[in-house]
Amino acid sequence: MAKEGVEKAEETEQMIEKEAGKEPAEGSGGSHRLGDAQEMRAVVLAGFGGLNKLRVTRKAMPEPQDGELKIRVKACGLNFIDLMVRQGNIDNPPKTPLVPGFECSGIVEALGDSVKGYEIGDRVMAFVNYNAWAEVVCTPVEFVYKIPDDMSFSEAAAFPMNFVTAYMMLFEVANLQEGMSVLVHSAGGGVGQAVAQLCSTIPNVTVFGTASTFKHEAIKDSVTHLFDRNADYVQEVKRISAEGVDIVLDCLCGDNTGKGLSLLKPLGTYILYGSSNMVTGETKSFFSFAKSWWQVEKVNPIKLYEENKVIAGFSLLNLLFKQGRAGLIRGVVDKLIGLYNQKKIKPVVDSLWALEEVKEAMQRIHDRGNIGKLILDVEKTPTPLMANDSTETSEAGEEEEDHEGDSENKERMPFIQ
């Protein structure tokens, strides 16, 4: 039960509107009401499949339970795992309909019982176990972090998943030290750029990266050696470093697992933290899943022992929501905010999209077109071309084929930072 009533919520909404340079509407806190119930906009996944399974609709606004904070959302992060969730391409997928999204930033609007250390109006970023892509979220206090005054809401929404994942892999799992070398796939993505920035905080670390050729110019200053994602990067790395690398960070899976292990130096660490090779189209492909699984090299523990190599996996969401390591993650976030305040790291935001533009944003990730993080800006007004694309449709529209026109989507671009 919330400590603050509707009057306090309305006061906070007015403060938020004032911050955005808007005058609050007379007699209203800005929320839509149905009788006594307040409503909010949210992206809803109606069922697993293609982009047309997503739409923006109105839902009842949640209220914080004991130990939770209610956050008026300003921005949400969009990650590759969200594409896999949409397709149902994960272990034990939740039941639909659901509101996707695992991270957001915004302003604390209400506090549940027993919450300490936060006040109404605090600027925060948070992990959410689904439900992030909405105007309002409630999440346990252990997953919420205050953000620096000079960090924008879009930066804050780009911060938790990417930088915590990168930090945990480099320093907690692989023990990155001075003079080591790192190979990271998808170097132009949000995690890839976070890895490159964190490596720059340690002296004499060499970063090898794979990325689409068109991204090389934009990221060349953050990566020591860049290779095209379709090139024979194993030979390219060995040409530069005959012994290989100390750390391999693999978000692709498939045959890249064997290649990564072959590149490890003695005492090197290979970490799998994703399987994007399983996503080759808009909908789940059993062929891609089977191909990726079949191409994974079967690991022989005796061979690892003989070659002094380490193989590991990392899932931040499982660590948070299933394995109870919120305290560990809070310590990591504190360190990362310290690095941000020292101007040593800064989230790379690719582009901002309205909630109603979520389909087009996801298509940009499908096309591997982003450099850095895509952000859903809750207050952004959709462009006229997109205004009706992701809003709630009739039941007849829900039965359409799960295929979108790629050429049409590519023509529609939001604000690019």
Side-chain angles (χ1 to χ4, degrees), residues 120-385:
I120 304 300
D122 281 347
R123 301 171 73 250
V124 297
M125 58 188 174
F127 290 110
V128 188
N129 195 9
Y130 294 99
N131 297 307
W133 294 355
E135 290 181 313
V136 174
V137 302
C138 291
T139 194
V141 65
E142 57 261 35
F143 304 138
V144 182
Y145 320 92
K146 294 179 182 178
I147 61 177
D149 292 339
D150 60 344
M151 180 182 282
S152 69
F153 285 113
S154 59
E155 285 181 332
F159 198 84
M161 286 281 285
N162 291 352
F163 275 95
V164 172
T165 295
Y167 187 97
M168 289 291 296
M169 292 192 297
L170 289 172
F171 297 106
E172 297 292 334
V173 181
N175 192 27
L176 177 67
Q177 298 181 34
E178 180 177 354
M180 283 187 169
S181 54
V182 179
L183 169 64
V184 58
H185 292 294
S186 300
V191 173
Q193 284 296 285
V195 165
Q197 290 185 31
L198 288 171
C199 285
S200 71
T201 67
I202 305 297
N204 303 317
V205 172
T206 301
V207 180
F208 297 87
T210 67
S212 301
T213 302
F214 77 89
K215 299 183 181 182
H216 287 195
E217 182 64 26
I219 66 174
K220 64 181 182 181
D221 293 335
S222 62
V223 180
T224 316
H225 303 287
L226 268 173
F227 314 117
D228 181 76
R229 64 189 299 266
N230 297 313
D232 184 358
Y233 62 85
V234 173
Q235 294 305 314
E236 292 293 329
V237 170
K238 289 188 173 180
R239 182 177 58 81
I240 298 168
S241 175
E243 200 177 7
V245 298
D246 296 291
I247 301 169
V248 174
L249 304 178
D250 182 11
C251 60
L252 304 177
C253 198
D255 62 353
N256 291 283
T257 300
K259 292 178 180 179
L261 285 171
S262 73
L263 279 172
L264 285 183
K265 295 179 181 180
L267 302 182
T269 303
Y270 164 93
I271 305 173
L272 180 69
Y273 70 100
S275 52
S276 63
N277 277 348
M278 294 184 183
V279 179
T280 56
E282 186 183 321
T283 56
K284 182 176 180 179
S285 168
F286 288 100
F287 174 78
S288 297
F289 178 86
K291 179 182 177 182
S292 185
W293 180 86
W294 181 259
Q295 288 177 334
V296 174
E297 181 172 306
K298 305 305 179 285
V299 177
N300 184 342
I302 299 299
K303 188 175 181 181
L304 292 176
Y305 151 73
E306 292 174 344
E307 297 181 352
N308 284 299
K309 294 181 178 181
V310 178
I311 185 168
F314 183 76
S315 166
L316 176 57
L317 296 178
N318 284 347
L319 198 66
L320 276 171
F321 301 128
K322 295 182 179 180
Q323 297 166 340
R325 296 299 191 271
L328 171 63
I329 299 305
R330 181 167 295 279
V332 170
V333 172
D334 289 343
K335 294 175 183 177
L336 288 168
I337 289 177
L339 291 172
Y340 177 88
N341 288 333
Q342 297 170 36
K343 312 298 183 186
K344 292 183 177 180
I345 61 173
K346 184 179 178 65
V348 177
V349 176
D350 174 80
S351 48
L352 306 179
W353 306 74
L355 290 181
E356 289 79 6
E357 298 167 342
V358 63
K359 294 180 185 178
E360 290 74 23
M362 277 198 164
Q363 185 63 53
R364 182 165 173 81
I365 296 182
H366 273 297
D367 296 337
R368 271 67 170 181
N370 58 298
I371 298 174
K373 188 72 160 250
L374 278 76
I375 298 296
L376 295 178
D377 184 342
V378 175
E379 296 181 343
K380 183 178 182 293
T381 302
T383 64
L385 278 174

Side-chain angles (χ1 to χ4, degrees), residues 54-56 356-360 386 388-392:
L54 293 163
R55 60 188 52 81
V56 175
E356 289 79 6
E357 298 167 342
V358 63
K359 294 180 185 178
E360 290 74 23
M386 300 178 187
N388 296 318
D389 284 355
S390 303
T391 51
E392 191 171 15

Side-chain angles (χ1 to χ4, degrees), residues 21-38:
K22 303 175 184 177
E23 288 297 324
E26 293 186 7
S28 170
S31 298
H32 294 261
R33 296 178 181 273
L34 181 60
D36 292 331
Q38 288 186 296

Side-chain angles (χ1 to χ4, degrees), residues 37-114:
Q38 288 186 296
E39 289 188 322
M40 64 176 184
R41 289 160 56 239
V43 176
V44 173
L45 178 65
F48 299 121
L51 294 169
N52 71 328
K53 298 296 184 180
L54 293 163
R55 60 188 52 81
V56 175
T57 187
R58 296 203 171 275
K59 291 176 59 69
M61 186 182 298
E63 293 299 331
Q65 303 301 306
D66 184 26
E68 292 185 341
L69 284 82
K70 179 180 179 181
I71 301 170
R72 175 66 59 169
V73 177
K74 305 282 277 188
C76 320
L78 204 163
N79 300 286
F80 203 90
I81 186 66
D82 297 311
L83 275 67
M84 300 184 73
V85 168
R86 193 202 72 224
Q87 294 182 345
N89 206 358
I90 59 173
D91 287 335
N92 301 314
K95 294 182 179 180
T96 56
L98 62 87
V99 176
F102 297 102
E103 62 183 341
C104 65
S105 63
I107 297 174
V108 175
E109 186 172 271
L111 307 174
D113 291 338
S114 77

